[in-house]
C-alpha cells in the first residue's frame, strides 16, 4: 500500500513539473545520491533474486537515465570530500557495488565504461582469495533451481533433510538448515565447495556450468588487480562478510580486508579508507571502531541522500534493484523519493 502511494506521489510530482524543479534545485545540489548495487545477472540470477541481481540491460538503462538527467557522477572518495566541503557539482551521484562478484568485471564494468562513469567496488576478500561460489547465496540459488520438488537428503549434512522446494518458505528453511550446518562445523572454503558440489548433484544442478560461468563467484586476485589498474576503486567490506559484535573481531575484519586489498591493488590505488556495512548491519559501537581503524566514510543500506550534516560513517545509500521501476529510480535522481524513504537504523542485536 505504501509503495503504491509512493508511486502515485511521484507521478503527480512529474506531471506538475515539480520533479524537474527539484532536480535542478539548490536543495538537490547540496546533496549526494550514493547508488548501491550487488550482482549483475548474465543468466537467470535476477529471476532467482531480484533484490540481489539486476540484468545488464537494466543497469545500462539506469546509467542512461543519469546521463539524461545531466548528473555529475563522481568517484566515491571525491564525492564524500566535496560533500563535506559544500562544493558538490550539480546533481551529484556516486556508484557503488557490494561484494566484488565476478559479474561486475564481465557485466557491470563494460556498461560503466560505455557511459564513462566511475564506480567503487566494496570487496569482501575471503572468497576472493579462495576460488569457488559464495556459499549462502549459492545454496539458495541451487534450491531455487530445483523449485517445485520435494527432495530427501539423507547424507548431505549431519541429519536427514526433507527439502520441500515447492514454496519460498520451504526453500528458505532448507537454506537455513544447510548454511547453519556449515557455520556450526566451521567449514573451510574448500569444504563448502565440496558440500555445494554434492548439493548440486542431489538437485540435478550443473555444477560444472556454475564453475565455468563463475556464477556467484567473486573476482579472483588477478581480476581485482586488473579492475584497479583500469581505474575501478576497490574499498573495504570486511574479510568474511561478517558483522562481529566484539571490538577485537570487528577491527580484525577491517585490518585483514585492508591488507589484502592493498596487496591486490598494489600501486594502482591508495590504501582503502571507505567502508560498506555487510548486509547493511550496523551497531552503535561500529562508528567508533571504524574511526579507530582509520576509515573515513561508511555507507549503509538506509535509503536517503547524504548531506553535509550526515555522519560520514553512517552515510545513506539507495540500494537499487530489479524491483525498482524507472519512475522510482528517477525519483531518487531528483531527490523526491528521499522524502518518502524509511531508514532502518541501528541493529539491536
Amino acid at each position: 500500500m505504501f509503495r503504491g502511494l509512493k508511486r502515485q506521489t511521484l507521478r503527480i510530482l512529474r506531471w506538475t513539473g515539480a520533479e524537474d524543479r527539484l532536480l535542478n534545485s539548490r536543495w538537490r545540489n547540496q546533496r549526494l545520491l550514493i547508488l548501491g548495487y550487488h550482482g549483475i545477472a548474465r543468466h537467470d540470477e535476477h529471476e532467482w533474486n531480484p533484490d540481489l541481481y539486476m540484468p545488464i540491460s537494466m543497469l545500462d538503462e539506469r546509467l542512461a537515465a543519469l546521463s539524461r538527467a545531466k548528473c555529475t557522477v563522481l568517484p566515491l572518495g571525491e564525492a564524500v570530500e566535496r560533500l563535506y566541503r559544500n562544493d558538490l557539482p550539480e546533481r551529484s551521484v556516486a556508484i557503488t557495488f557490494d561484494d566484488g562478484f565476478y559479474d561486475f568485471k564481465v557485466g557491470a564494468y563494460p556498461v560503466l565504461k560505455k557511459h564513462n562513469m566511475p564506480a567503487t567496488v566494496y570487496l569482501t576478500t575471503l572468497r576472493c582469495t579462495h576460488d569457488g561460489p559464495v556459499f549462502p547465496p549459492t545454496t539458495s540459488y541451487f534450491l531455487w533451481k530445483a523449485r517445485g520438488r520435494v527432495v530427501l537428503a539423507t547424507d548431505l549434512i549431519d541429519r536427514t533433510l526433507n527439502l520441500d522446494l515447492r514454496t519460498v518458505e520451504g526453500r528458505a528453511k532448507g537454506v537455513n538448515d544447510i548454511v547453519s550446518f556449515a557455520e556450526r562445523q566451521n567449514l573451510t572454503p574448500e569444504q563448502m565447495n565440496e558440500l555445494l558440489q554434492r548439493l548440486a548433484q542431489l538437485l540435478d544442478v550443473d555444477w560444472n556450468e556454475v564453475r565455468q560461468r563463475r556464477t556467484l563467484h567473486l573476482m579472483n586476485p588477478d581480476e581485482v588487480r586488473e579492475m584497479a589498474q583500469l581505474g575501478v576503486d576497490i574499498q573495504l567490506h570486511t574479510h568474511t562478510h561478517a558483522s562481529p559484535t566484539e571490538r577485537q573481531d570487528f577491527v580484525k575484519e577491517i585490518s585483514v580486508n585492508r591488507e589484502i586489498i592493498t596487496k591486490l591493488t598494489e600501486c594502482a590505488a591508495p590504501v582503502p579508507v571507505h567502508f560498506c556495512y555487510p548486509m547493511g548491519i550496523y551497531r552503535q559501537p561500529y562508528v567508533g571502531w571504524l574511526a579507530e581503524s582509520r576509515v573515513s566514510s561508511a555507507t549503509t543500506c538506509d535509503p536517503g541522500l547524504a548531506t553535509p550534516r550526515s555522519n560520514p560513517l553512517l552515510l545513506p545509500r539507495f540500494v537499487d534493484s530489479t524491483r525498482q521501476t524507472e519512475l522510482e529510480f528517477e525519483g531518487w535522481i531528483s531527490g523526491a523519493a528521499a522524502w518518502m524513504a524509511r531508514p532502518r537504523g541501528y541493529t539491536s542485536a
Side-chain angles (χ1 to χ4, degrees):
M1 181 176 178
F2 174 78
R3 192 171 184 192
L5 179 62
K6 176 181 175 181
R7 289 176 178 173
Q8 185 60 27
T9 302
L10 290 172
R11 290 188 191 99
I12 292 170
L13 291 172
R14 174 169 294 184
W15 180 70
T16 60
E19 184 180 50
D20 280 341
R21 291 193 295 274
L22 190 62
L23 175 66
N24 296 297
S25 68
R26 184 170 178 268
W27 178 88
R28 172 63 179 89
N29 290 337
Q30 293 174 331
R31 285 159 171 78
L32 171 66
L33 171 62
I34 305 174
L35 294 172
Y37 296 92
H38 287 86
I40 300 302
R42 296 172 292 145
H43 305 289
D44 59 356
E45 301 94 325
H46 61 291
E47 298 173 21
W48 154 63
N49 191 334
D51 292 318
L52 186 69
Y53 268 88
M54 174 178 287
I56 294 172
S57 60
M58 182 174 282
L59 178 66
D60 190 25
E61 292 167 5
R62 297 300 208 229
L63 301 191
L66 295 177
S67 294
R68 286 194 303 272
K70 296 181 171 58
C71 292
T72 306
V73 180
L74 299 169
L76 178 67
E78 179 185 346
V80 171
E81 288 179 10
R82 297 184 69 172
L83 172 68
Y84 291 105
R85 290 204 313 255
N86 285 290
D87 73 341
L88 283 172
E90 294 181 344
R91 299 173 289 278
S92 293
V93 176
I95 302 174
T96 66
F97 288 80
D98 291 9
D99 304 324
F101 284 114
Y102 172 73
D103 52 63
F104 171 84
K105 177 181 184 295
V106 295
Y109 178 74
V111 179
L112 290 160
K113 184 178 180 181
K114 170 186 172 181
H115 292 274
N116 193 30
M117 293 181 181
T120 290
V121 170
Y122 292 117
L123 179 68
T124 182
T125 40
L126 176 63
R127 268 299 182 179
C128 169
T129 54
H130 291 82
D131 185 40
V134 181
F135 188 80
T138 305
T139 302
S140 174
Y141 180 59
F142 284 1
L143 297 190
W144 174 82
K145 295 279 276 186
R147 62 196 180 280
R149 298 167 53 189
V150 177
V151 178
L152 187 66
T154 57
D155 58 357
L156 184 68
I157 61 173
D158 56 354
R159 59 188 174 86
T160 297
L161 292 179
N162 187 36
L163 297 170
D164 185 348
L165 309 181
R166 296 172 296 182
T167 66
V168 172
E169 294 76 16
R171 293 193 293 272
K173 182 181 183 303
V175 172
N176 183 68
D177 288 340
I178 296 168
V179 172
S180 295
F181 165 78
E183 291 174 348
R184 287 195 309 273
Q185 298 297 315
N186 196 26
L187 297 187
T188 66
E190 292 74 20
Q191 289 171 324
M192 290 181 190
N193 283 350
E194 191 273 334
L195 178 55
L196 284 173
Q197 185 173 7
R198 289 194 287 117
L199 178 63
Q201 183 177 7
L202 177 69
L203 300 177
D204 299 319
V205 174
D206 191 334
W207 173 251
N208 290 330
E209 181 179 80
V210 169
R211 295 289 273 146
Q212 289 166 5
R213 289 178 171 178
R214 306 272 308 281
T215 303
L216 286 162
H217 289 55
L218 297 190
M219 291 185 285
N220 64 34
D222 287 341
E223 291 157 351
V224 172
R225 191 172 296 112
E226 178 187 357
M227 288 291 96
Q229 290 170 348
L230 289 172
V232 175
D233 179 35
I234 310 295
Q235 295 292 335
L236 304 165
H237 200 39
T238 74
H239 180 54
T240 67
H241 204 261
S243 303
T245 57
E246 298 296 324
R247 173 195 164 279
Q248 181 178 352
D249 296 334
F250 185 89
V251 170
K252 183 178 179 181
E253 284 283 346
I254 302 295
S255 63
V256 173
N257 192 213
R258 174 180 278 144
E259 179 181 356
I260 294 173
I261 290 173
T262 301
K263 288 179 180 178
L264 292 179
T265 57
E266 295 175 329
C267 299
V271 174
V273 294
H274 302 286
F275 175 75
C276 174
Y277 296 98
M279 297 175 288
I281 294 172
Y282 60 93
R283 300 178 173 90
Q284 286 187 329
Y286 286 1
V287 171
W289 297 344
L290 286 173
E292 177 185 335
S293 300
R294 306 183 314 283
V295 169
S296 61
S297 84
T299 53
T300 68
C301 293
D302 288 0
L305 299 181
T307 78
R309 296 183 300 278
S310 299
N311 186 327
L313 297 179
L314 292 171
L315 290 171
R317 185 173 60 144
F318 170 56
V319 180
D320 195 11
S321 75
T322 304
R323 297 186 192 276
Q324 302 295 324
T325 65
E326 180 182 358
L327 176 71
E328 289 170 303
F329 183 74
E330 292 180 357
W332 277 101
I333 295 175
S334 70
W339 292 350
M340 296 168 271
R342 296 185 287 185
R344 294 167 51 178
Y346 286 110
T347 301
S348 58

